[in-house]
């Protein structure tokens, strides 16, 4: 049997490669980016995801590189407690929830894949997928083709594998924009004293979530989820570069509806380069 082709070396592709390795099923990963690529953004990994990472031998490496937490507190902008939700915890789930930079997880998976001897081919942009009698054939931009009985498409939101199976399918904007940033806890002074972390604030025109990104809780991340009309890919790309415009979106949301001062302090102490958007 030829090695299974895994298209995409992101979180999904590398994780499934490690799973297959555990079952002694040969596979090879083909990833568009090169070794200098760093994937941005922070994610919350719930116990189900952490159990998977543990199974493939990566959890121990990432656990102390992010914020471990159990309960998320929900309040409205006037500070009224709406409820608490348990996302993780040693006793109930065997894992705390982990807020961590996505790239730390990706690199830990990549390192483990290399330790396990899984071939990971970087700088390999797939440009076409086709089928022969008993095989799937993948062609890369550099002219190389590979074939196997199986292809696993783990090539992300604009997946070519999905397009091959479902021609014409394209990712569509859902109407929600996430605007996010992070600042140092030391910069906001006493503003966060007494604020449970993580907290989600529910406002009329957006949900504001606050949670640390690192193990010690020194870096405070936040993101707001809000309805914004579609601007089209080009304009979204421009917005991502225009940090002043992102700051303005955040300011407008939190100014308008009487949000608490600590939310404004978080935004005010954020450096422009630490602001991002995800339509
Ligand atoms: C704002 C935001 C917040 C999120 N928060 C969370 C969270 O808190 N918790 C959570 O669990 N999830 C969260 N997610 C979702 C999570 O990030 C994704 O589910 C996850 O990253 C998907 O992993 P993936 O490996 O499927 O795709 P990706 O990480 O996109 O990986 C796909 C890989 O395929 C490669 N590739 C693409 N095209 C080709 C090609 N033609 N040839 C070769 N390689 C190719 C890419 O370079 C990439 O490395 C969030 C997502 C967003 C946008």
């Amino acid at each position: 049997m030829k090695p299974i082709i895994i298209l995409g070396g992101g979180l999904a592709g590398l994780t499934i490669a490690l799973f297959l390795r555990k079952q002694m099923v040969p596979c090879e990963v083909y990833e568009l980016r090169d070794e200098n690529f760093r994937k941005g953004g922070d994610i919350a990994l719930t116990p189900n995801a952490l159990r998977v990472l543990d199974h493939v031998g990566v959890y121990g490496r990432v656990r102390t590189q992010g914020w471990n937490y159990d309960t998320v507190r929900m309040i409205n902008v006037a500070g009224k407690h709406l409820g608490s939700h348990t996302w993780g915890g040693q006793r109930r789930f065997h894992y705390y929830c982990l807020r961590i930079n996505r790239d730390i997880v990706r690199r830990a998976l990549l390192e483990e894949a290399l330790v396990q001897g899984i071939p990971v081919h970087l700088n390999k942009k797939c440009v076409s997928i086709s089928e022969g009698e008993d095989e799937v054939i993948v062609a890369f931009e550099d002219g190389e083709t590979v074939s196997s009985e199986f292809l696993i498409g783990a090539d992300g939101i604009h997946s070519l594998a999905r397009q091959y199976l479902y021609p014409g399918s394209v990712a569509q904007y859902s109407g929600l924009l996430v605007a996010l940033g992070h600042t140092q806890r030391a910069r906001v002074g006493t503003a966060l004293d007494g604020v449970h972390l993580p907290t989600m604030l529910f406002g009329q025109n957006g949900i504001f979530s606050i949670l640390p990104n690192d193990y010690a809780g020194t870096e405070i991340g936040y993101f707001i989820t809000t309805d914004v009309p579609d601007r089209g890919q080009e304009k979204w790309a421009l917005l991502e570069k225009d940090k002043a415009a992102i700051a303005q979106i955040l300011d407008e949301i939190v100014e308008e509806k009487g949000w608490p001062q600590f939310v404004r302090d978080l935004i005010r102490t954020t450096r422009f380069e630490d602001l991002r958007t995800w339509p």
Side-chain angles (χ1 to χ4, degrees):
M1 177 184 163
K2 284 186 177 177
I4 292 177
I5 299 167
I6 299 177
L7 197 55
L11 302 186
L14 292 168
T15 303
I16 198 153
L18 288 167
F19 255 92
L20 291 173
R21 183 77 188 91
K22 277 180 95 75
Q23 304 299 320
M24 306 301 283
V25 178
C27 65
E28 301 202 10
V29 179
Y30 294 86
E31 164 57 40
L32 151 73
R33 319 279 187 166
D34 64 22
E35 58 279 3
N36 298 318
F37 175 64
R38 296 285 173 268
K39 198 167 177 61
D42 299 296
I43 49 174
L45 295 178
T46 47
N48 56 344
L50 297 174
R51 192 169 297 118
V52 170
L53 291 184
D54 207 3
H55 186 70
V56 298
V58 167
Y59 175 62
R61 223 177 287 173
V62 296
R63 188 184 71 80
T64 55
Q65 297 197 64
W67 172 255
N68 289 256
Y69 63 94
D70 50 12
T71 307
V72 179
R73 187 163 187 254
M74 287 164 270
I75 58 174
N76 68 13
V77 290
K80 183 173 187 291
H81 180 78
L82 302 175
S84 293
H85 196 215
T86 306
W87 284 23
Q90 195 62 44
R91 215 167 55 159
R92 186 162 160 200
F93 300 105
H94 305 295
Y95 300 91
Y96 285 94
C97 202
L98 182 69
R99 175 75 173 173
I100 189 166
N101 184 279
R102 196 188 266 101
D103 202 55
I104 292 176
V105 184
R106 189 190 64 88
R107 275 184 283 129
L109 286 164
L110 181 58
E111 275 165 28
E112 184 62 21
L114 298 179
V115 167
Q116 296 290 333
I118 300 167
V120 180
H121 308 274
L122 300 177
N123 237 332
K124 297 296 279 188
K125 181 176 181 182
C126 168
V127 288
S128 84
I129 297 169
S130 56
E131 276 175 90
E133 203 172 324
D134 285 320
E135 60 178 6
V136 56
I137 303 149
V138 175
F140 296 96
E141 198 176 46
D142 59 10
E144 192 190 347
T145 58
V146 291
S147 64
S148 173
E149 287 159 88
F150 296 102
L151 164 77
I152 295 176
D155 49 340
I157 194 164
H158 303 295
S159 167
L160 270 186
R162 189 184 58 233
Q163 271 178 39
Y164 176 73
L165 288 174
Y166 306 102
S169 65
V170 280
Q172 287 188 352
Y173 177 58
S174 67
L176 287 176
L177 175 74
V178 177
L180 53 96
H182 58 87
T183 186
Q184 295 302 309
R185 180 153 194 156
R187 279 216 203 112
V188 293
T190 55
L192 283 179
D193 289 0
V195 176
H196 176 87
L197 295 172
T199 282
M200 292 171 86
L201 286 105
F202 289 78
Q204 299 257 346
N205 54 352
I207 304 168
F208 196 98
S209 305
I210 308 166
L211 69 178
N213 293 332
D214 60 345
Y215 190 66
T218 53
E219 183 179 292
I220 306 293
Y222 59 84
F223 57 91
I224 194 154
T225 312
T226 184
D227 294 297
V228 175
D230 195 5
R231 298 185 178 197
Q233 267 200 345
E234 247 172 62
K235 284 194 179 159
W236 286 128
L238 285 177
L239 175 64
E240 176 55 22
K241 289 193 189 122
D242 188 351
K243 305 298 183 185
I246 302 173
Q248 198 180 338
I249 289 175
L250 287 164
D251 280 342
E252 278 169 11
I253 290 168
V254 302
E255 288 296 337
E256 234 176 65
K257 304 282 178 183
W259 290 68
Q261 184 59 38
F262 65 84
V263 168
R264 280 196 283 276
D265 288 343
L266 284 171
I267 299 169
R268 184 179 49 77
T269 57
T270 303
R271 299 175 313 178
F272 269 12
E273 61 264 38
D274 293 330
L275 290 170
R276 298 204 62 186
T277 51
W278 298 83

